[in-house]
Amino acid sequence: MKIVKKTIDKLGKWGIKWSLWPPHLVTACCGVEFGHAFGSAYDAERFGMLPMGSLRQSNVIIIEGTITLKMAKYIKYVYDQMPEPKYVLAMGACALKGGVFYGSYHMVPASNVVPVHGYISGCPPTPEGLLKAVTELQREIAAE
Amino acid sequence: MMPFELSSDLVAALVFPGVLGILGFLVVAIWAERKLVARIQWRYGPLYVSKAIGGFLQPIADLVKLVFSELVLPRHTNRALFLSTPLALFIAEALPVAFIAAAPGLIIFYNPHGLAIAVVLWLLVAVFLVGMAWSEADKFTYIGAMREILLSAAYEIPLLLSLVAMLLLYGTADPYRVVELQNVWGVLLNPLAFLAFYISLVMSTTRFPFEIPEAEPEVVLGPYTEYGSTLFILSFGGTYVKLYAGALLGSVLFLGGWQPAVDTLSGALVTIAKMAALAFPLLILRAIYPRYRIDQALRFGWSKLLALSIAAVIFSIALRFAGVI
Amino acid sequence: MIAFALFLVLLAIALGALVLVGYLLAPKSPHVAKERRFEAGNPPFGEVKRRLLMQYVGYIYMVTAIEASAGLMVVVALWRGVVSLDVALALATALALIAIYVVRYLEKVADVKKWS
């Protein structure tokens, strides 16, 4: 019985790992690099990523850059509305700690808004950085 | 000697045009579409999930992920309808398959007017789709449903006329007889009807130049917006089932069905090859074409496409009088 | 006929089982936001800015539905050859059901405010 449960669990983890679908949620300029990562040069679809329109089907939020207080509300809402196995990657120096807006009254680090599973540093990070974080996230999901 | 033998219609229901064929087509078509589009855009497409076989496991990984994702039933909807309409839609899209023969003996439900029934059932699908969108009660699904109805207004008449042209030409709607009559393939007898049928097929499966109801930049996913988890497979996978039914109907009516082959097994293989040939350009379209606006699609459907299909009917009647068939 | 029934039942069982397995296996954590309507990531607030006109949707929907079901009736009539008593009765029943539906629907549609 335990083995069956373990196998099913492993199968689910395998599926989630190879099919991370981010919704279209772009907060700042790192969105350009995010779009680039799906283009011909870097092709994030090799890892099974597919940008989805609706967040009902997607399971990973990639926070691209600065989060203002106003935007933080919507990110929290999107995160809450997403169905359960869900992951967050914070991309760029602004999402980490503030970047060029460090100490501003209207800036929130991503980890204060939603639980973050991985950070990508850089201003903006390269698409390679994003893909590295995605593979790290895949490893983390498999090891859970 | 086996203790009991499966009759050929049970095999049809279980394996080839039936359940396994439909589910297998879903997996292969989604994988092929993603790979082909990636190839055209100078990418690899899904790869690392199973590198040895070119990422063929990608649709299965997506399926597993959707199964393991939470099933959300929004509170403002009628939950029973919300759950059951995708199921009804999928089955309605698979229904026309039952009346079309894929090889000698491989038919689920034989009827001397089988092809006509299949066509009418095909037209019924839009009704279920709009019902589904309505039960979701969302503005995106509502707009998607409206576009679906308007698009069906654009393609329904040309589709019917192109099929009427072929049935007039053969003088029968019997799924076996139609294939037996095609010493020369239907596409060579009446190319106009094939063209009209093919364009209407693109419209009715909402493939790319007419991907108006689920236009992602405008209405998120159209009628499929609210569905996540397994219900997404049922609702969105249904469009591929429609493509499967359309390709089967097209290969029987226009490409001579299982023509060179005579027995069941090789006939089924020939039909599969012809269906693939019909479905392949439709999958590539996603990478090549931009999208029509709804008014452009309606104008196109009611001017050029309608003229083409009427010409096809007239051409068929002329052929019939000339005694070609 | 048996094959047709088998086809439908198998398809329904396969799809139903898929939904059921998903329901049983997936984690559940209900949340207020999840059960709300999908508004492209926005929480609902304030009054609607522009209302969508809905009063003609019902008519268009009825056209698509009734057209296709009428086509089905024609095919059934063709299939049975001459129109016999049972076919005529079935047609009459179907038409009566549609008529009842239409009448009920017209009452609802008459009040435009309900649909705007």
Side-chain angles (χ1 to χ4, degrees):
Chain A
M1 208 57 221
K2 216 170 182 180
I3 296 169
V4 173
K5 205 162 174 244
K6 216 171 171 182
T7 321
I8 290 173
D9 201 45
K10 219 169 181 179
L11 179 73
K13 290 278 182 277
W14 175 81
I16 295 163
K17 176 182 156 189
W18 287 114
S19 153
L20 293 166
W21 292 359
H24 302 306
L25 177 80
V26 176
T27 56
C29 41
C30 290
V32 180
E33 299 298 321
F34 174 76
H36 196 183
F38 286 88
S40 320
Y42 297 99
D43 191 16
E45 206 185 351
R46 285 176 301 163
F47 300 97
M49 292 186 92
L50 190 69
M52 275 324 264
S54 165
L55 46 87
R56 297 267 187 217
Q57 297 105 31
S58 45
N59 62 350
V60 57
I61 300 181
I62 297 177
I63 296 173
E64 293 127 16
T66 331
I67 309 170
T68 56
L69 276 175
K70 212 171 173 180
M71 196 64 205
K73 196 167 75 187
Y74 295 106
I75 287 182
K76 183 86 177 81
Y77 190 76
V78 166
Y79 182 78
D80 285 341
Q81 207 169 28
M82 214 179 238
E84 195 33 57
K86 49 191 169 188
Y87 305 92
V88 180
L89 290 177
M91 184 178 177
C94 303
L96 262 68
K97 207 66 189 159
V100 288
F101 306 106
Y102 181 77
S104 165
Y105 74 101
H106 209 254
M107 213 291 318
V108 213
S111 52
N112 288 10
V113 185
V114 283
V116 180
H117 292 80
Y119 294 96
I120 310 152
S121 62
C123 186
T126 54
E128 289 102 322
L130 175 61
L131 296 186
K132 181 78 169 59
V134 168
T135 46
E136 288 290 331
L137 179 63
Q138 285 179 338
R139 200 171 304 153
E140 197 181 298
I141 291 168
E144 248 173 24
Chain B
M1 192 73 190
M2 274 161 63
F4 67 97
E5 276 187 45
L6 282 169
S7 66
S8 66
D9 58 342
L10 286 182
V11 173
L14 288 176
V15 190
F16 174 39
V19 180
L20 276 180
I22 288 169
L23 301 181
F25 179 80
L26 267 181
V27 172
V28 175
I30 292 172
W31 172 77
E33 181 177 22
R34 287 177 75 171
K35 285 304 258 193
L36 284 171
V37 171
R39 183 56 59 87
I40 288 168
Q41 294 170 348
W42 289 15
R43 297 188 286 119
Y44 286 105
L47 183 66
Y48 290 128
V49 59
S50 57
K51 207 171 172 188
I53 46 174
F56 186 72
L57 291 183
Q58 183 62 51
I60 295 164
D62 288 343
L63 184 132
V64 169
K65 173 225 137 172
L66 285 171
V67 166
F68 279 82
S69 133
E70 187 184 2
L71 189 67
V72 179
L73 301 178
R75 192 176 291 163
H76 62 275
T77 55
N78 180 337
R79 291 189 175 194
L81 278 180
F82 188 83
L83 263 174
S84 57
T85 41
L87 199 77
L89 176 72
F90 196 98
I91 291 174
E93 273 164 342
L95 261 185
V97 172
F99 296 91
I100 308 169
L106 267 191
I107 187 167
I108 297 169
F109 187 26
Y110 173 77
N111 184 291
H113 301 285
L115 292 180
I117 296 176
V119 172
V120 174
L121 287 174
W122 195 8
L123 294 183
L124 263 172
V125 170
V127 181
F128 284 93
L129 185 63
V130 175
M132 185 186 88
W134 208 337
S135 75
E136 280 169 87
D138 187 300
K139 60 185 167 204
F140 300 113
T141 65
Y142 165 70
I143 299 169
M146 279 327 293
R147 290 177 172 203
E148 177 71 32
I149 293 179
L150 288 174
L151 195 63
S152 76
Y155 73 73
E156 220 164 61
I157 307 296
L159 179 69
L160 271 179
L161 283 180
S162 65
L163 294 169
V164 162
M166 290 324 278
L167 297 185
L168 269 179
L169 188 58
Y170 302 136
T172 171
D174 185 318
Y176 293 126
R177 191 94 185 92
V178 160
V179 175
E180 284 160 13
L181 281 172
Q182 289 182 63
N183 297 320
V184 184
W185 286 5
V187 58
L188 301 175
L189 283 174
N190 194 342
L192 298 177
F194 178 72
L195 200 59
F197 169 80
Y198 207 64
I199 296 173
S200 320
L201 178 65
V202 177
M203 280 176 138
S204 90
T205 50
T206 61
R207 301 305 303 175
F208 226 79
F210 304 104
E211 200 226 23
I212 301 162
E214 60 254 27
E216 210 176 305
E218 296 157 18
V219 285
V220 191
L221 269 177
Y224 315 101
T225 305
E226 283 279 351
Y227 285 115
S229 189
T230 42
L231 294 177
F232 181 65
I233 306 171
L234 301 194
S235 56
F236 198 70
T239 54
Y240 290 91
V241 179
K242 209 173 175 184
L243 177 57
Y244 177 82
L248 184 58
L249 185 63
S251 65
V252 165
L253 269 181
F254 293 99
L255 297 188
W258 55 90
Q259 235 337 273
V262 278
D263 64 291
T264 307
L265 187 62
S266 55
L269 291 177
V270 170
T271 314
I272 289 174
K274 284 176 179 171
M275 280 168 70
L278 270 179
F280 187 76
L282 288 180
L283 296 178
I284 286 189
L285 278 177
R286 176 171 286 272
I288 302 173
Y289 272 101
R291 180 169 38 243
Y292 275 83
R293 285 199 315 268
I294 184 71
D295 58 326
Q296 288 170 329
L298 277 165
R299 201 181 310 138
F300 175 73
W302 281 101
S303 56
K304 289 174 192 146
L305 196 54
L306 186 66
L308 188 68
S309 52
I310 289 173
V313 173
I314 294 169
F315 189 58
S316 279
I317 294 170
L319 280 180
R320 190 96 182 140
F321 271 109
V324 173
I325 258 191
Chain C
M1 200 64 207
I2 299 167
F4 186 56
L6 188 73
F7 173 65
L8 287 185
V9 168
L10 261 182
L11 206 58
I13 286 177
L15 301 177
L18 191 69
V19 175
L20 190 68
V21 164
Y23 179 73
L24 291 178
L25 285 180
K28 293 173 201 71
S29 70
H31 193 279
V32 187
K34 265 179 216 168
E35 294 180 343
R36 285 205 191 124
R37 185 173 280 137
F38 173 73
E39 303 264 9
N42 301 306
F45 67 96
E47 282 290 304
V48 276
K49 280 183 188 156
R50 242 167 84 187
R51 288 177 180 274
L52 292 165
L53 290 176
M54 284 190 78
Q55 63 261 48
Y56 308 120
V57 180
Y59 288 115
I60 304 176
Y61 187 54
M62 281 196 317
V63 166
T64 35
I66 291 169
E67 183 207 23
S69 41
L72 204 61
M73 285 174 201
V74 169
V75 171
V76 168
L78 263 179
W79 165 24
R80 302 293 292 267
V82 284
V83 177
S84 56
L85 186 65
D86 54 340
V87 174
L89 274 178
L91 278 178
T93 326
L95 283 176
L97 282 177
I98 290 172
I100 290 169
Y101 177 72
V102 168
V103 168
R104 270 196 61 192
Y105 198 81
L106 282 179
E107 277 173 8
K108 229 175 194 174
V109 165
D111 190 2
V112 175
K113 272 182 202 151
K114 276 183 193 163
W115 286 92
S116 62

